[in-house]
Amino acid sequence: KCILIIYIIDYWRLKIMKYFITAIAIISFNIYSDDHKGLPKPSDCKGSPANYYVAKLIEGGTIEGWLNATKMHEAYYKDRGFDVEVVPSIQYLPNEEDGGPSEEIFRLSTHVVHKSLPEQERWWDWNQNTRTESDVKARDAFVAEYDKNNEVTARRYLCILSN
């Protein structure tokens, strides 16, 4: 009987301990899950907002064609009075030997950087309310040039912070 009572007490003590640990874990996760609430939102960008496109070169596509698309893209903004810089870059994976860049292109990146949040908002307003059919054709031209050379694999919104 004594061994049975000890066994029952141990069983319930372990059960209570299990629930206690679970409750502590849930409380801890809830406390720490709010830590993201103080992080800045895109609308709080204190720097240059940017669209970031990652793409891969497609069969028949060339770096020269992609670079031409980035030049057309930037000219599209500049010709319409917007202070936007289109910055192309090439991604390389690290090589296994020394961690330096491998010789093979991994991805292409295009940063479309607006000078400021108000400048980007001015662009959005123009794009929604003022854009003409001629503007749409010019946009379609640089998009077609991109499409001949690369396929977008990811798109992100960035805030490039000011120091």
Side-chain angles (χ1 to χ4, degrees):
K1 279 185 171 182
C2 196
I3 293 176
L4 182 60
I5 292 173
I6 292 173
Y7 176 75
I8 292 171
I9 291 172
D10 280 347
Y11 172 80
W12 283 106
R13 189 173 58 186
L14 288 173
K15 271 275 207 221
I16 291 170
M17 192 64 115
K18 176 180 156 186
Y19 288 117
F20 177 73
I21 290 172
T22 302
I24 294 294
I26 290 170
I27 291 168
S28 297
F29 289 137
N30 284 335
I31 289 171
Y32 290 110
S33 69
D34 288 343
D35 67 348
H36 69 282
K37 288 186 178 177
L39 297 176
K41 310 251 182 307
S43 59
D44 299 331
C45 183
K46 304 283 189 262
S48 298
N51 289 312
Y52 173 59
Y53 300 91
V54 178
K56 61 182 179 182
L57 207 56
I58 61 172
E59 189 173 326
T62 65
I63 295 296
E64 293 77 17
W66 168 68
L67 285 172
N68 186 49
T70 65
K71 289 175 189 167
M72 292 169 66
H73 193 168
E74 184 169 309
Y76 176 80
Y77 288 103
K78 301 271 186 221
D79 292 349
R80 286 151 185 83
F82 294 98
D83 193 359
V84 175
E85 188 176 2
V86 177
V87 181
S89 62
I90 300 173
Q91 296 180 27
Y92 300 92
L93 293 176
N95 70 41
E96 306 228 351
E97 295 168 13
D98 62 5
S102 64
E103 293 298 316
E104 186 178 329
I105 292 174
F106 175 64
R107 292 286 185 266
L108 308 172
S109 297
T110 307
H111 293 78
V112 181
V113 184
H114 295 262
K115 201 64 160 176
S116 65
L117 193 57
E119 180 69 7
Q120 185 183 49
E121 290 168 351
R122 188 172 78 85
W123 154 253
W124 282 339
D125 181 61
W126 176 88
N127 195 42
Q128 294 297 313
N129 301 312
T130 312
R131 183 175 65 167
T132 66
E133 190 61 38
S134 173
D135 296 321
V136 171
K137 286 181 183 176
R139 181 192 175 281
D140 290 348
F142 76 75
V143 169
E145 186 69 15
Y146 277 122
D147 289 346
K148 285 192 308 191
N149 294 285
N150 65 259
E151 175 188 335
V152 173
T153 59
R155 180 179 178 211
R156 302 288 185 268
Y157 181 84
L158 304 176
C159 179
I160 300 172
L161 301 173
S162 302
N163 289 337

